[in-house]
Amino acid sequence: MALDRQRIPLLEVEATPLRVPELVDELSRYIREGSKRTVLGHNLHSVTLTLSDEGFRTLYQQSDVVLLDGAPVLWLWGRTGKAEGPVMDYRLGSTDWLPALDQVQGLERIAVLGAGSAANAGAVRRLQSLVPGARVTGFPGEGWNEDLESKALEWLHLEQPQLVLLGLGMPLQEKVLERRLNQMPPAIYCAVGGAIEQLAGFQKLAPRWLGRLGLEWAWRLLLHPRRVAYRVLGEPWVLLWLLASRRVKRQLPGRRR
């Protein structure tokens, strides 16, 4: 059963809006099937990459689940009027749904791939407490290169996890899925960005009330100005240019969408 794809107004991308219980149901179904699946998230950064990178766009188009992650994307989808209940209930960043993994039926093997050694080990311990019946193993991703990528692939085949949390940051984690998904063992591959460090307590989460107001970007800018300044202050202008360019091209005679 394929999830309903819904187009985000103005952004020219699609997502699969879910709330936590609905995502838990999907993950439980994927576990029962034992198939290979991908779970991604859409925010303004991923929208920009989707519109500018063909490989990135293909990955998102073929993904099984594309969650609404990021207030602007969520609010624009909310304009469709398809939300049942509060729109903010559909905002699922990784740390919104990871605490519910204990509700996923049949989940017995979890792999944590990414972050530095200390953060990876901390996330493994945290997940072991969240899902006490599961075996949780980790593979750090610091200094990621081609050799480490090959070793990670071998490790995944050895571990045979059911759920893989891939936290290498965007767009590296998505590029790894582009390159290697066909070679990876059956599992649910979830791109979780910085959630590994957040689970381990190495990165502070924004207060929940800020997230509900769509101001989490301000928190990140305050704590990590070098890391997120361009994404917060510069990339929205790149996105506007991409959207405008695509619209102009579609209006030219003889041009297809």
Side-chain angles (χ1 to χ4, degrees):
M1 180 182 64
L3 290 174
D4 180 30
R5 290 266 176 171
Q6 298 185 23
R7 197 153 184 85
I8 310 299
L10 303 179
L11 295 183
E12 302 189 11
V13 296
E14 294 180 340
T16 48
L18 298 172
R19 292 164 290 191
V20 171
E22 296 158 351
L23 177 59
V24 167
D25 288 344
E26 286 303 311
L27 295 178
S28 298
R29 180 166 69 87
Y30 297 159
I31 293 291
R32 288 195 302 271
E33 294 173 351
S35 55
K36 187 182 298 185
R37 303 283 186 164
T38 55
V39 177
L40 309 177
H42 246 331
N43 52 36
L44 288 186
H45 186 41
S46 62
V47 170
T48 302
L49 291 168
T50 300
L51 297 178
S52 60
D53 185 309
E54 183 176 354
F56 200 93
R57 179 166 58 254
T58 299
L59 178 69
Y60 267 72
Q61 289 172 342
Q62 296 177 349
S63 181
D64 299 282
V65 176
V66 179
L67 301 170
L68 295 171
D69 177 18
V73 178
L74 178 72
W75 289 334
L76 287 171
W77 173 74
R79 294 176 55 185
T80 64
K82 295 182 179 180
E84 298 179 4
V87 172
M88 287 303 295
D89 288 351
Y90 291 85
R91 186 185 181 187
L92 292 192
S94 300
T95 51
D96 292 313
W97 58 266
L98 286 174
L101 284 180
D102 65 318
Q103 302 171 34
V104 176
Q105 298 177 11
L107 181 56
E108 300 174 346
R109 301 183 305 279
I110 303 172
V112 181
L113 178 54
S117 298
N120 188 282
V124 167
R125 289 192 296 270
R126 174 64 174 150
L127 285 165
Q128 286 172 334
S129 66
L130 287 173
V131 195
R135 176 170 63 88
V136 186
T137 54
F139 188 100
E142 193 172 23
W144 193 266
N145 54 31
E146 185 176 350
D147 181 56
L148 195 61
E149 185 169 305
S150 296
K151 291 179 180 178
L153 187 62
E154 294 174 3
W155 177 77
L156 287 171
H157 280 278
L158 178 65
E159 294 294 327
Q160 291 292 307
Q162 296 164 298
L163 180 77
V164 179
L165 304 181
L166 184 59
L168 298 172
M170 184 182 292
L172 176 56
Q173 60 198 12
E174 288 78 14
K175 289 297 182 182
V176 171
L177 289 175
E178 283 181 45
R179 292 191 294 262
R180 299 288 197 166
L181 186 59
N182 289 338
Q183 304 168 40
M184 291 175 172
I188 308 169
Y189 293 90
C190 307
V192 299
I196 294 176
E197 292 186 343
Q198 292 163 354
L199 280 174
F202 280 52
Q203 195 178 111
K204 291 184 178 179
L205 287 170
R208 298 305 298 161
W209 64 269
L210 272 181
R212 303 290 292 187
L213 292 174
L215 295 175
E216 190 172 336
W217 61 269
W219 174 268
R220 292 179 178 177
L221 184 62
L222 180 65
L223 291 184
H224 309 286
R226 288 188 176 184
R227 183 187 304 178
V228 303
Y230 171 74
R231 185 179 298 187
V232 170
L233 302 176
E235 195 168 60
W237 297 102
V238 176
L239 176 57
L240 287 174
W241 181 83
L242 287 169
L243 290 169
S245 298
R246 288 168 65 89
R247 186 162 300 178
V248 168
K249 288 179 180 179
R250 287 201 304 271
Q251 292 172 352
L252 293 176
R255 294 302 295 266
R256 295 182 178 179
R257 184 173 176 176

